[in-house]
């Protein structure tokens, strides 16, 4: 079997970090699951909890966890919402987040705080901070009133690791519930939870793991696991974690069922170790090409020190104030896609706009050379309009 992808051949895809490609084999398997569901819906939904349990058992080894510690959720934000919706807190408590946090998850932390009469403390982590400095910046916000800490494993806006192992150890020592947003991490790391002591860890299989959209995981191994309940009260209510998440009515669960098919086919055809190694090397090469192209036009260094860069991610500074005007970085993303048929990620942090490059098995050096040759001149020109 040769590995083929779902991607439009007329579009350059440099943003696997947000929306990964899906192997066509996995999409075919998902279509078959849907055919079975629509062909005999009663039979399907009676048996779907067993199918989900079997899929969990196939996914768990890729994350280095037990299937009994893993529940499927639609995405990492939904997993975080489960935590925010299940935990209780006393009025006057504090929730600790960081300024690198993913917007939707951070908004969920604020909603949790409002519901229980708590406040939110935001730890400022310098972009170039190493693991110890970053951990100290986060744990400095801990107090006797801290009721929850939420920290990204890999940050979305800044493409770096945060030291969730060090933060988790400090949180456990103080009895603080700890939620890790590992949205980008499944399959990006071979053993993502190794050394991470947390109450809940959430991740997306449809990013680096290439599963169909809507396949996320919630891993819970701490004392709070039995307090976690699905967002939907259905026939799984009252069952222990994670089986209570396996029966949620008549949702379309086919992305969960096809997720292990996606992971398996990439392992068979390429090998996840090879994907991780080659993607990291390719994005480093590609980022150099793009950074050099920017420098030739601006005379400035666009490379960024993010302290602990995350494998197949690289962050480059955009020229001038690009990405800080009306519409923000989304406006830059949309303009690049419309004019050049290139999907790329643009972010902002600390009053500066950034280009976040990623790589996967389907990318080639030509993708980055093309971006340097066609898109970089436009970015520089647009920056002079700001």
């Amino acid at each position: 079997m040769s590995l083929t992808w779902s991607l439009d051949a007329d579009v350059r895809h440099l943003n696997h970090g947000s929306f990964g490609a899906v192997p066509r084999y996995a999409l075919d398997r998902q279509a078959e699951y849907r055919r079975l569901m629509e062909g005999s819906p009663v039979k399907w939904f009676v048996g779907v909890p067993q199918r989900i349990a079997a899929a969990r058992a196939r996914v768990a080894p890729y994350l280095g966890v037990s299937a009994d510690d893993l529940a499927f959720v639609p995405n990492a934000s939904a997993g975080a919402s489960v935590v925010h919706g299940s935990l209780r807190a006393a009025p006057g408590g504090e929730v600790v987040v960081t300024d690198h946090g993913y917007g939707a998850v951070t908004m969920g932390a604020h909603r949790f705080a409002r519901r229980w009469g708590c406040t939110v403390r935001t730890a400022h982590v310098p972009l170039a901070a190493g693991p110890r400095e970053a951990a100290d910046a986060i744990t400095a916000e801990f107090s006797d009133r801290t009721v929850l800490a939420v920290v990204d494993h890999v940050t979305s806006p800044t493409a770096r690791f945060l030291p969730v192992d060090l933060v988790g150890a400090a949180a456990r020592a103080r009895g603080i519930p700890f939620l890790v947003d590992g949205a980008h991490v499944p399959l990006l790391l071979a053993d993502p939870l190794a050394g991470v002591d947390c109450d809940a860890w959430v991740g997306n299989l449809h990013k680096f793991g290439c599963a169909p959209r809507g396949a996320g995981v919630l891993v819970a191994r701490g004392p709070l696991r039995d307090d976690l309940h699905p967002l939907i009260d259905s026939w799984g209510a009252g069952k222990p974690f994670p089986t209570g998440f396996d029966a949620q009515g008549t949702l379309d669960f086919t992305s969960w069922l096809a997720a292990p098919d996606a992971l398996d086919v990439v392992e068979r055809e390429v090998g996840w170790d090879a994907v991780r190694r080659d993607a990291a090397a390719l994005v480093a090469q590609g980022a150099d090409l793009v950074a050099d192209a920017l420098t030739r036009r601006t005379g400035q260094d666009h490379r960024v020190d993010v302290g602990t860069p995350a494998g197949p991610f690289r962050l480059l500074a955009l020229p001038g104030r690009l990405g800080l005007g009306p519409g923000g970085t989304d406006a830059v993303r949309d303009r690049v896609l419309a004019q050049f048929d290139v999907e790329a990620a643009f972010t902002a942090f600390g009053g500066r706009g950034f280009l976040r490059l990623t790589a996967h098995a389907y990318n080639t050096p030509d993708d980055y050379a093309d971006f340097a040759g066609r898109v970089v001149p436009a970015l520089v020109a647009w920056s002079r309009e700001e």
Side-chain angles (χ1 to χ4, degrees):
M1 179 191 301
S2 60
L3 191 60
T4 58
W5 302 91
S6 59
L7 299 173
D8 184 341
D10 295 327
V11 177
R12 296 273 187 178
H13 298 270
L14 299 176
N15 188 18
H16 192 95
S18 292
F19 306 103
V22 184
R24 292 193 180 278
Y25 171 77
L27 293 178
D28 290 343
R29 294 294 299 145
Q30 184 179 25
E32 175 61 15
Y33 296 136
R34 283 188 172 136
R35 186 191 67 77
L36 293 172
M37 176 174 63
E38 300 303 342
S40 182
V42 171
K43 180 180 179 181
W44 173 263
F45 285 109
V46 168
V48 80
Q50 290 74 31
R51 290 180 181 271
I52 293 174
R56 287 195 288 105
R58 291 172 60 194
V59 167
Y62 285 104
L63 302 178
V65 301
S66 166
D68 292 335
D69 295 332
L70 181 152
F72 282 121
V73 288
N75 51 42
S77 297
S81 295
V82 166
V83 177
H84 294 148
S86 299
L87 297 186
R88 302 174 64 86
E94 296 175 345
V95 179
V96 173
V97 300
T98 80
D99 55 353
H100 295 251
Y102 183 64
V105 172
T106 298
M107 286 188 284
H110 278 268
R111 183 165 62 88
F112 169 81
R114 289 193 302 270
R115 186 167 69 251
W116 294 103
C118 299
T119 57
V120 176
R121 298 179 64 89
T122 301
H124 169 63
V125 179
L127 187 57
R132 186 72 266 171
E133 181 185 359
D136 288 346
I138 297 168
T139 58
E141 301 298 330
F142 289 179
S143 75
D144 292 341
R145 295 188 300 276
T146 306
V147 296
L148 176 66
V150 184
V151 179
D152 290 60
H153 204 154
V154 168
T155 61
S156 180
T158 51
R160 58 159 293 160
F161 286 110
L162 287 179
V164 293
D165 53 345
L166 300 178
V167 176
R172 184 66 70 207
R174 300 186 67 157
I176 296 171
F178 185 38
L179 165 62
V180 176
D181 179 3
H184 295 279
V185 177
L187 281 299
L188 187 149
L189 294 178
D191 192 1
L193 282 92
V196 180
D197 188 355
C198 60
D199 292 281
W201 185 96
V202 296
N204 288 322
L205 300 174
H206 55 241
K207 289 184 181 288
F208 200 77
C210 303
R213 316 299 171 211
V217 293
L218 166 61
V219 177
R221 299 187 291 190
L224 299 180
R225 57 179 273 144
D226 290 332
D227 294 326
L228 301 178
H229 305 286
L231 297 176
I232 299 172
D233 288 323
S234 188
W235 295 107
K239 294 183 178 180
F241 183 92
T243 54
F245 289 72
D246 293 347
Q248 296 185 55
T250 54
L251 297 179
D252 184 342
F253 301 103
T254 57
S255 61
W256 299 359
L257 301 180
D261 296 315
L263 306 187
D264 288 348
V265 74
V266 174
E267 177 62 25
R268 287 197 303 270
E269 298 299 314
V270 184
W272 280 108
D273 286 341
V275 172
R276 286 185 281 267
R277 181 192 65 235
D278 295 347
L282 177 58
V283 81
Q285 175 189 352
D288 283 341
L289 279 172
V290 176
D292 289 344
L294 284 164
T295 297
R296 284 194 296 271
R297 291 180 174 271
T298 68
Q300 300 172 356
D301 186 3
H302 290 264
R303 292 171 175 82
V304 179
D305 181 3
V306 298
T308 49
F313 289 84
R314 285 296 182 277
L315 202 68
L316 298 178
L318 291 173
R321 290 183 53 78
L322 187 62
L324 304 181
T329 52
D330 286 352
V332 182
R333 175 202 64 199
D334 295 345
R335 197 172 180 182
V336 168
L337 181 57
Q339 295 191 25
F340 298 102
D341 284 331
V342 172
E343 292 192 344
F346 297 89
T347 69
F349 179 81
R352 185 73 191 267
F354 296 97
L355 165 67
R356 192 191 74 195
L357 293 173
T358 51
H360 209 279
Y362 54 82
N363 288 119
T364 69
D366 187 58
D367 291 329
Y368 305 91
D370 174 78
F371 189 97
R374 291 195 303 135
V375 182
V376 162
L379 295 178
V380 174
W382 298 343
S383 74
R384 292 168 181 160
E385 300 171 0
E386 296 288 336

